[in-house]
Amino acid sequence: EPLRQELIKQLKKQFGNEIMIEDVPAGLHFFVKITTDLSYEEIINRASDIELELFTIKRFWLKDNDFPKNGAIYCIIGFANLKYAQIQEAVRRLYKVCRG
């Protein structure tokens, strides 16, 4: 899938070794781990401020006190509604959210 491949390529280019991508080449989502010192709440608020819909793994966690806090966030990247021409801007926004 050219769109999936281009999205992964741009994520790796923008984040370098600060992103781990678990890519199963099927479906319209994949799982990423992004190195950041920001909390999930900060990430979610910052994404909302710049109109980036971001699904962190926190929304699927049952108890906050069991949630991993290790200098990284875990997200599900969906691209069902993403157009090829929007990839670079979407990746730029995600980087801005995670880095400031």
Side-chain angles (χ1 to χ4, degrees), residues 30-71:
F30 53 87
F31 185 71
V32 299
K33 175 184 174 186
I34 300 172
T35 303
T36 183
D37 292 329
L38 299 173
S39 70
Y40 277 88
E41 290 75 19
E42 289 172 308
I43 293 289
I44 291 165
N45 290 336
R46 291 166 67 117
S48 176
D49 288 347
I50 61 169
E51 299 178 10
L52 180 68
E53 189 174 14
L54 188 60
F55 296 105
T56 71
I57 201 71
K58 186 168 178 151
R59 86 179 339 185
F60 304 104
W61 213 261
L62 296 178
K63 294 192 228 172
D64 275 348
N65 60 339
D66 291 339
F67 200 74
K69 298 174 181 77
N70 62 353

